[in-house]
Amino acid sequence: MRGFYGRILDVNLTDRTFRIEPLPDEFLSAGLGGKGLATGLLLERNPAGVDPLAPENHLILATGPFCGTSLWGGCRYGVFTKSPLTGLYSESYSGGRTPEAIDSAGFDAVVIRGRAERPTAMAVHPEGCEFFDAGEIWGADTYKTEDEAKARFAPNKPGYGKSGAVVIGPAGENLVRFAVIENDYWRSAGRTGVGAVMGSKKLKAIVFQGDRQRRMHDPEGLKAYAREFLKTFKDNPATKAYNSRGTTMMVAVLNMAQGFPTRYWSEGVFDRWERISGDTLHKEHRVQPHACLKCFIACGRRAVIDQGRHKGLTIEGPEYETIYAFGGLCLIDDLGEIAHLNDLCDRLGLDTITAGNLCGLAIEAARRGRIDYRIDYGDAEAIAGLIEAIAARKGLGDVLAQGIVPAARAWDLSDLAVHVKGLEPAGYDPRVFKGMGLAYASSDRGACHLRTTFYKAELAGMIPREAIEGKARLFIEFEDRLNIFDSLILCRFFRDFYTWDELLKALTLVTGMNLNEADLRQKAVYIANLTRRFNLREGLRPEQDRLPPRLHREALPTGQALTVEELEYMLADYYRLRGWDEAGVPPAE
């Protein structure tokens, strides 16, 4: 079958060995690569109930069949493992330029197990991999690590293209349970703690380089399709909106909708939101659109801060979610300060959504006398200090490094902490966007906004935000198509463009598979059930598919609320439409 390499690289860090294994076509066609492939490998190779930080937990990196082709939106890779933050399924994705370097090594997936005796780096190439001592860069921030890794460890054999590296910072080394994997300085496989798994294996960096390319079923047809795709969508209103303001435009949108989480989930509007809006970022600082490879949307913001004590700081960002986490939850109304916190998290290797949520929880703990620590809303300097303490596992930071569930328990704030399955929500309040309540409750990796991006449906008026009936059906429509996105590893912001029909066209040109829409939808169901089975095997309980009671108990000051009964209705409807039983268990294969 075309479009796949038909092989994986299995790496054992304990004894510094590797083997190249063939992948049969039926294994690839079942899950389409990416998420579908990696989830099957985790079920097959991870011991049931394994400690996420144990050597036996597998860390899987994969690109999809669209990566390295002329198709738009496919320059991405995924990381799959068991999460040290939630103890459940972990998936995280990143873009930039590095994914094509990963793909050029010529593997559908790189599967890493074991634990090195000392800090180690790997160089992955078409013939396998090489191992290097990384003691000299252990402790370095992610930017320096990436530069040093590519300079020291890239194979640089004749015919090889540009190298790329995925790395961890001090937070990953110190096993902070929400540490990220970074590439291209500012791109992050950000959520669920994949960086801590990499750190637990004493693996500081992986450099990729090669000369392999996927064999396409119809190369000329694919090029023609990509040209027509660009012509059709490059001037689309969604493209223009993201190119103009990136995700920062959402600050205004969410505040106007009264669903911008503020003052650690107490309010839905930040009264100074204009100061941290996309318009302000572009007006007061030097900002240019920045794109991953093979992308015409260019949602990224390459920003140079032009005011304040961080004047001169260059960063890609801050994105909407970082602005919400530090601006909304922590009441910081200065984009220069938010950009600094973003840069600090990137250098140390921390997820900004979780970091902002934990800082908000710490502020509430201090205000309630649960901790003796000088921190308060709007105090950017104290928040920066806390982030550094988390990465270093020092003092209060050591408590927060364990994640929100242990921290809230230690401070007797479990009734205040906002999370699902140990992962904090993104910047869409489910009391306003009730479908996002279902999204957070049902997501396999915790309170995730990206598995369905259902805020899109509710903001666009595809279904009323306050509606309950019919919401699960539309939700599944989003979730199924985006499960295919995650197996092909496509960028979320192409969701309006790659309809079921367009996905079929592109997939046929790449692989030659003779599928119809019903076939593709069935594969999406297979992937959803496969992921659910992984979580059930790892101990997922039905009551974990719920929101924290606080979000039902407390209405927003503007009156919006989500009752327990409303969520239960949507969740039961979701289970039924998925074909699962009342406890959320899929039917036998």
Side-chain angles (χ1 to χ4, degrees), residues 179-201:
V180 305
I181 293 174
E182 295 270 353
N183 63 276
D184 298 301
Y185 280 19
W186 302 293
R187 300 289 176 159
S188 306
R191 308 225 67 195
T192 66
V194 292
V197 176
M198 195 163 157
S200 73
K201 298 183 179 303

Side-chain angles (χ1 to χ4, degrees), residues 410-465:
W411 301 337
D412 194 22
L413 289 176
S414 295
D415 63 336
L416 185 74
V418 176
H419 68 90
V420 176
K421 304 179 180 84
L423 186 72
E424 304 83 359
Y428 308 88
D429 198 302
R431 290 165 288 191
V432 174
F433 303 98
K434 297 190 178 186
M436 288 305 297
L438 176 60
Y440 295 148
S442 65
S443 172
D444 294 302
R445 73 173 188 174
C448 177
H449 66 299
L450 289 173
R451 306 284 59 78
T452 61
T453 66
F454 201 68
Y455 57 86
K456 164 74 177 180
E458 296 185 300
L459 281 169
M462 297 172 67
I463 192 167
R465 299 169 196 169

